[in-house]
Amino acid sequence: GILPVLNYKENEIEFDGINIMTDYKSCARFDSDETKIYNWLTGMGKKSFVEFEYKNEILNYKISGIKRDVSINKKGDILEVSIFIETEGDVNSFVVETEDKLMDSEMIKELEEAINNSMEDMVGKILGRVQVEVGKDILELDKELKLFYPSIWMDVEDNWDNYFQSA
């Protein structure tokens, strides 16, 4: 299960991440930044921010919409899982030299690539922690398998945790 971690500070309660439990024991704790990334992996995370670097400047991308799509293939004993995260949002506090650059498609592509690279790095780290430290499917990929890949699910359901850890 997943439990919120709350702290009481200066007469206020603040969210400080999640504690992940398996077999009635805590197996991992994600701070609030790691929880934000975990939420992206589950298709949640609207109104979160991504810090990224663009031309030696640190910028913020505010996510206003997020969608997760999962693709699963099985080749022999190997399960291949791809998680695609599509976002919509705005770059905050970004100053453009001239107004004509505001809609420059090349600059927009560069910004999108910088955001994508930053998110990929963060997601890869959290996904690794989920597979190694937790070792259980807290991303609910099994539901995707059951609904959209029933023949693969029938092959892997008896040994799902092992398949998930090595996917």
Side-chain angles (χ1 to χ4, degrees), residues 5 15-18 29-41 44-45 47-51 60 63 118-119 121-123 125-127 129:
V5 176
F15 176 77
D16 194 31
I18 56 176
R29 184 185 184 292
F30 291 171
D31 65 26
S32 56
D33 287 334
E34 293 167 323
T35 301
K36 167 184 71 177
I37 300 161
Y38 163 77
N39 284 335
W40 299 342
L41 283 164
M44 298 183 289
K47 299 184 180 177
S48 63
F49 287 89
V50 178
E51 274 193 355
N60 279 307
I63 297 173
S118 182
M119 288 183 75
D121 289 346
M122 291 186 272
V123 164
K125 290 174 186 169
I126 293 301
L127 192 52
R129 285 193 63 200

Side-chain angles (χ1 to χ4, degrees), residues 12-75:
E12 290 188 17
I13 296 174
E14 66 178 31
F15 176 77
D16 194 31
I18 56 176
N19 192 21
I20 302 163
M21 315 243 335
T22 59
D23 302 322
Y24 303 102
K25 295 178 187 167
S26 176
C27 63
R29 184 185 184 292
F30 291 171
D31 65 26
S32 56
D33 287 334
E34 293 167 323
T35 301
K36 167 184 71 177
I37 300 161
Y38 163 77
N39 284 335
W40 299 342
L41 283 164
T42 61
M44 298 183 289
K46 269 172 65 170
K47 299 184 180 177
S48 63
F49 287 89
V50 178
E51 274 193 355
F52 68 99
E53 187 174 333
Y54 177 72
K55 294 190 177 182
N56 299 320
E57 203 173 324
I58 301 296
L59 301 175
N60 279 307
Y61 171 67
K62 183 179 180 186
I63 297 173
S64 57
I66 192 164
K67 179 183 167 195
R68 173 184 94 159
D69 194 20
V70 177
S71 174
I72 301 172
N73 291 307
K74 187 170 183 276
K75 295 179 180 174

Side-chain angles (χ1 to χ4, degrees), residues 23 27 31 33 49 60 98 105 117 120 145 156 160-162:
D23 302 322
C27 63
D31 65 26
D33 287 334
F49 287 89
N60 279 307
T98 60
S105 63
N117 290 340
E120 271 186 23
L145 272 167
V156 301
W160 173 235
D161 287 339
N162 288 334

